[in-house]
Amino acid sequence: MKDDKIRIYEESQQIVRKSNDLIRKTRYNLTATEMKIVIYLISKLVATDKEIRKVNINIKDFCALINVQTNGREYEAIKQSVRTLRDKSYWLTMPNGDELLFSWIDFSYIQKRNGNIEITLSKSLEPFLLQLRGNYTAYPFREILSLSGKHSIRLYEYLRSFLYKGYARVSIQELKKILNIENKYKDWRDLKKTVIDPSIHEIRMKTFLDVSYEVIKNGRKIEELEFSINEAMGYQTSWLDE
């Protein structure tokens, strides 16, 4: 393995830590790349820190990490994703029921001479990312690197937060809120074919979660899904192991 590949492999093993409230109660609409940027930034945080610090991203390395071919346009693409993360805001329900309006990013600075971007996550997220004592989920950044669908990434984190229980029961309405598709897929068959089954398949094939689900009906109407969640056996390989 070359030195740069060793470095990228090591970065993929960094641990992502999020409070379960941040995972389960935040509603947002991000692309797969935007989610990977946020998750990468979180993986770079030191769990014992008292405040969020800036993170330096090298665009070339980051593209290699998320398996995106560099073709000269990646700089502008990452730049636009960072801008989107800074400009969009979302409501987060606090444990006491209050609501917090936040953006993922507080600050970004581009170093054009070396292709680096300095990014600082929102300070308002510190209670959900740092000095966590309980009610949080941790997983290697590597877990979501092979996932290409934004719904797959979002569903992976949600289900991962229930791994300790071995199951999660969620209404169709709530699941659509989590995936930010409340106004889409009115018919269960469309939701199943387009979102649920492809996401579950990708999670099972590319991560360490072994997930299945059963539908819960009220009469003839499907109202809830109950997911069975376990750790998969064996070792999931990716381009990082080549």
Side-chain angles (χ1 to χ4, degrees):
M1 296 176 70
K2 298 180 180 179
D3 289 344
D4 57 346
K5 191 167 185 180
I6 292 175
R7 183 178 67 256
I8 290 169
Y9 184 88
E10 289 175 345
E11 291 210 335
S12 76
Q13 307 304 314
Q14 295 178 126
I15 302 300
V16 179
R17 295 178 180 85
K18 288 185 177 184
S19 77
N20 288 337
D21 285 330
L22 182 61
I23 291 174
R24 300 173 187 172
K25 298 181 180 180
T26 313
R27 309 289 181 257
Y28 54 83
N29 181 27
L30 301 178
T31 67
T33 297
E34 289 162 358
M35 279 191 273
K36 287 178 181 180
I37 291 174
V38 170
I39 295 170
Y40 174 75
L41 293 171
I42 293 172
S43 78
K44 301 290 283 186
L45 299 177
V46 178
T48 55
D49 278 353
K50 294 183 178 180
E51 62 180 23
I52 287 177
R53 301 178 182 180
K54 67 182 178 182
V55 174
N56 189 67
I57 291 181
N58 179 274
I59 294 176
K60 183 178 179 181
D61 283 356
F62 181 73
C63 288
L65 190 60
I66 65 174
N67 202 27
V68 171
Q69 297 297 320
T70 55
N71 55 15
R73 295 193 297 268
E74 69 281 353
Y75 176 88
E76 289 299 325
I78 298 297
K79 182 179 174 182
Q80 181 57 45
S81 293
V82 170
R83 179 176 180 175
T84 299
L85 291 169
R86 175 63 182 86
D87 290 348
K88 287 184 178 180
S89 59
Y90 305 92
W91 288 104
L92 170 62
T93 302
M94 308 287 280
N96 64 0
D98 292 346
E99 293 184 295
L100 168 70
L101 183 66
F102 76 96
S103 296
W104 287 107
I105 290 175
D106 271 350
F107 175 82
S108 182
Y109 181 82
I110 297 175
Q111 302 171 346
K112 284 199 171 183
R113 67 184 182 279
N114 55 18
N116 290 344
I117 301 180
E118 292 180 355
I119 303 176
T120 303
L121 285 164
S122 173
K123 296 290 185 181
S124 62
L125 294 173
E126 288 175 350
F128 305 96
L129 301 175
L130 300 178
Q131 299 197 28
L132 301 174
R133 296 292 183 265
N135 193 32
Y136 73 93
T137 295
Y139 65 88
F141 180 46
R142 169 195 179 94
E143 280 283 86
I144 58 92
L145 286 179
S146 295
L147 298 178
S148 59
K150 64 178 183 178
H151 299 317
S152 302
I153 297 172
R154 191 73 177 96
L155 189 58
Y156 168 84
E157 282 200 327
Y158 179 78
L159 296 177
R160 179 84 187 203
S161 75
F162 289 98
L163 177 61
Y164 71 99
K165 293 179 68 175
Y167 74 95
R169 186 163 175 167
V170 59
S171 69
I172 297 296
Q173 182 180 7
E174 178 64 16
L175 185 60
K176 291 176 73 173
K177 286 182 180 179
I178 292 166
L179 299 176
N180 200 51
I181 52 173
E182 291 178 79
N183 299 319
K184 298 180 180 179
Y185 310 111
K186 304 294 184 181
D187 189 299
W188 157 249
R189 290 169 296 184
D190 292 337
L191 178 64
K192 171 182 168 66
K193 179 180 178 180
T194 307
V195 178
I196 305 299
D197 285 355
S199 297
I200 293 298
H201 177 74
E202 190 171 31
I203 289 169
R204 292 187 66 182
M205 293 297 103
K206 298 179 180 179
T207 78
F208 284 100
L209 281 191
D210 183 12
V211 180
S212 60
Y213 70 90
E214 294 182 357
V215 299
I216 309 297
K217 294 183 178 181
N218 183 3
R220 299 181 63 183
K221 183 179 180 181
I222 296 174
E223 291 193 342
E224 296 180 299
L225 298 180
E226 182 165 302
F227 292 92
S228 175
I229 311 161
N230 296 285
E231 288 187 293
M233 301 298 291
Y235 187 78
Q236 308 294 80
T237 60
S238 74
W239 75 92
L240 292 164
D241 305 299
E242 295 175 357

